[in-house]
Amino acid sequence: MHGEGANDDLDAVLAAVGPRLRALRRRRGATLTAVSETTGIPISTLSRLESGRRRPGLELLLPLARAYRVPVDELIGAPAESDPRVRPQPFTRNGMTIVPLSREPGGLQAYKHLLPAGLTDGREPDPRSHEGYHWLYVLRGRLRVVLGDQDFVLTEGEAAEFDTHLPHWFGNADERPVEFLSILGPQGERVRIRARYRPDDPLPLRAAPRTRTTGASESPRSPGNRPPGAGR
């Protein structure tokens, strides 16, 4: 009986690997094709892993851990350490440095973004949409945001939130670097801090530096999440 219980625990751990791999891939904004090219694992195998139809082994988990820049323990959901501090593993996308600030895949995900000076100079905005709900807060510099048919700038201390089904793009508003925080949430999860709108500002997503805590509002129509890169 003891052996059967251990096997059940192992099966439960392995069954959770697939959804965790899918969440990590979406956080990176990567396609199965891109992951396959990076790891050498066939697309069909990656798809079966994520859907739970392929049992994960070290020969698959090790290259995936390297590709996603996470410990193998994170892929298999090893028990959390007593130390609650998050040890970020930054990665770069389209010239933007992205620093994950949350440890568990799925649910709300927090990131710090750094756009070096001149990163998007001369670059034509290329708004994209994806699943999720997004909240931004500018720490330093001026962030240009193209959101649908709106084109505006967020400055230090300003925040914005929006459904990521709406095409969006971020870039430098001037020649200086930009540093901002973002939180992404899937369907049914919306950040509970809403920016206070300026009554004289015609852009509904531009906000005053102060924020206030509110109750949960209506749920967005968007499952899943992933961090944006420059030009996303």
Side-chain angles (χ1 to χ4, degrees):
M1 296 296 293
H2 177 74
E4 290 179 1
N7 288 335
D8 289 343
D9 290 343
L10 177 60
D11 289 341
V13 168
L14 294 178
V17 170
R20 193 170 288 111
L21 288 171
R22 182 181 293 112
L24 281 168
R25 178 171 61 80
R26 289 177 173 173
R27 283 171 59 182
R28 299 296 191 266
T31 63
L32 286 173
T33 300
V35 176
S36 176
E37 291 174 350
T38 301
T39 61
I41 300 173
I43 294 175
S44 59
T45 300
L46 292 172
S47 178
R48 292 198 301 273
L49 276 174
E50 290 190 357
S51 64
R53 292 180 288 118
R54 171 66 183 265
R55 192 179 181 92
L58 281 178
E59 75 281 0
L60 299 174
L61 294 178
L62 287 174
L64 286 168
R66 286 194 295 268
Y68 293 134
R69 300 179 185 177
V70 298
V72 173
D73 286 353
E74 183 170 332
L75 296 184
I76 62 176
E81 300 176 358
S82 58
D83 186 351
R85 292 173 294 180
V86 176
R87 291 175 168 76
Q89 298 188 14
F91 61 96
T92 301
R93 180 186 301 159
N94 298 330
M96 174 193 291
T97 299
I98 302 174
V99 185
L101 299 177
S102 47
R103 187 159 45 192
E104 294 297 325
L108 292 175
Q109 299 294 323
Y111 302 90
K112 182 178 180 180
H113 306 255
L114 299 98
L115 280 70
L119 176 63
T120 57
D121 285 357
R123 183 182 300 182
E124 188 69 21
D126 181 23
R128 304 287 183 88
S129 61
H130 57 85
E131 298 172 338
Y133 197 83
H134 204 168
W135 177 87
L136 305 174
Y137 181 82
V138 178
L139 296 170
R140 181 169 62 96
R142 302 174 74 244
L143 180 69
R144 180 185 177 191
V145 180
V146 175
L147 182 63
D149 58 359
Q150 299 183 76
D151 189 337
F152 58 96
V153 174
L154 292 175
T155 59
E156 294 181 16
E158 290 191 316
E161 60 177 354
F162 55 90
D163 188 321
T164 55
H165 280 130
L166 192 62
H168 54 284
W169 178 92
F170 308 138
N172 307 72
D174 52 34
E175 70 282 356
R176 295 176 298 172
V178 185
E179 187 175 331
F180 65 98
L181 299 176
S182 73
I183 299 176
L184 289 121
Q187 182 180 13
E189 294 193 59
R190 184 172 179 176
V191 179
R192 292 174 180 258
I193 297 178
R194 178 180 299 165
R196 192 189 306 274
Y197 299 144
R198 289 175 176 164
D200 58 346
D201 196 327
L203 297 175
L205 293 177
R206 186 166 181 174
R210 296 179 181 177
T211 58
R212 60 188 176 86
T213 302
T214 66
S217 47
E218 67 275 13
S219 298
R221 303 184 302 278
S222 52
N225 54 355
R226 64 179 182 180
R232 292 303 301 257

